[in-house]
Amino acid sequence: DQQVKQNSPSLSVQEGRISILNCDYTNSMFDYFLWYKKYPAEGPTFLISISSIKDKNEDGRFTVFLNKSAKHLSLHIVPSQPGDSAVYFCAAKKGGKLIFGQGTELSVKP
Amino acid sequence: DVKVTQSSRYLVKRTGEKVFLECVQDMDHENMFWYRQDPGLGLRLIYFSYDVKMKEKGDIPEGYSVSREKKERFSLILESASTNQTSMYLCASREVGGHEQFFGPGTRLTVL
């Protein structure tokens, strides 16, 4: 069973506009959520996180929103830049482990 | 800066071979993890270790084993490689109590 789902395999956005990446989860016991960014042939790098007791966390151009009642989180990137083109993974933490979604490939076009 | 290194970026092996993937971290992290990444499946946890000599099965441990003899090193072993183990393998480490895992660059393994 897929406890963390990213239902959009890909997303294409114009440079300067907002990118919104979505993630749904099923387990209400997750206590922390993270977003990772991955370029081809590189390991994932941490982007931003949010505790389950918060509903928003912001870091520069990146904001993560958590809606616990809907078991949904989203990552907003404003403004989007061509260098943001990568695969984005959401991850949910339970105990010592992270459970990852399938990833969404973001393409930001100039 | 946390640095996680993996012994090879690209590896090609034959079916039935025993394969060793090495991972070293330099930040004295207690926890280490091995994942594989496949298109459409995200990252799936193979094995993890909370401390030296300790190991726990992840979600897909079949066909794999691990070794953690030293704190900084976590090895993934494919006992008898099969074509369905062709994948990107990612190692990560994390300090105790932390949320973020730090990843290595990955090893792209092809089994022919």
Side-chain angles (χ1 to χ4, degrees), chain B residues 11-21 63-67 76-82 85 109 111:
Chain B
L11 211 51
V12 180
K13 295 293 181 180
R14 297 273 176 202
T15 301
E17 280 192 78
K18 191 168 186 175
V19 181
F20 293 86
L21 303 181
Y64 304 94
S65 63
V66 289
S67 172
L76 180 69
I77 304 152
L78 286 66
E79 298 291 342
S80 177
S82 63
Q85 292 178 311
L109 173 66
V111 183

Side-chain angles (χ1 to χ4, degrees), chain B:
Chain B
D1 261 4
V2 175
K3 189 141 187 201
V4 181
T5 56
Q6 295 183 230
S7 50
S8 305
R9 294 300 300 271
Y10 300 93
L11 211 51
V12 180
K13 295 293 181 180
R14 297 273 176 202
T15 301
E17 280 192 78
K18 191 168 186 175
V19 181
F20 293 86
L21 303 181
E22 305 284 342
C23 174
V24 177
Q25 50 95 3
D26 66 359
M27 284 302 290
D28 205 35
H29 286 173
E30 284 81 6
N31 304 159
M32 295 187 76
F33 306 82
W34 274 107
Y35 296 87
R36 61 178 283 178
Q37 183 205 349
D38 300 290
L41 297 177
L43 277 70
R44 294 180 292 165
L45 183 64
I46 304 171
Y47 265 96
F48 59 104
S49 169
Y50 283 142
D51 208 339
V52 178
K53 305 279 188 186
M54 294 178 68
K55 59 186 178 185
E56 300 280 345
K57 290 180 180 179
D59 300 317
I60 51 165
E62 297 78 20
Y64 304 94
S65 63
V66 289
S67 172
R68 184 111 183 257
E69 294 297 317
K70 292 185 178 181
K71 191 175 187 180
E72 68 271 17
R73 188 180 297 269
F74 192 33
S75 303
L76 180 69
I77 304 152
L78 286 66
E79 298 291 342
S80 177
S82 63
T83 54
N84 63 12
Q85 292 178 311
T86 291
S87 187
M88 168 70 88
Y89 288 88
L90 293 159
C91 174
S93 73
R94 188 194 67 195
E95 62 181 345
V96 170
H99 305 294
E100 179 188 349
Q101 292 182 16
F102 297 85
F103 283 85
T107 296
R108 170 70 65 186
L109 173 66
T110 301
V111 183
L112 301 175

Side-chain angles (χ1 to χ4, degrees), chain A residues 14-32:
Chain A
Q14 207 68 33
E15 181 178 6
R17 306 293 271 264
I18 184 171
S19 295
I20 300 176
L21 296 99
N22 294 303
C23 181
D24 297 297
Y25 62 95
T26 56
N27 193 331
S28 57
M29 299 303 291
F30 292 135
D31 59 356
Y32 226 82

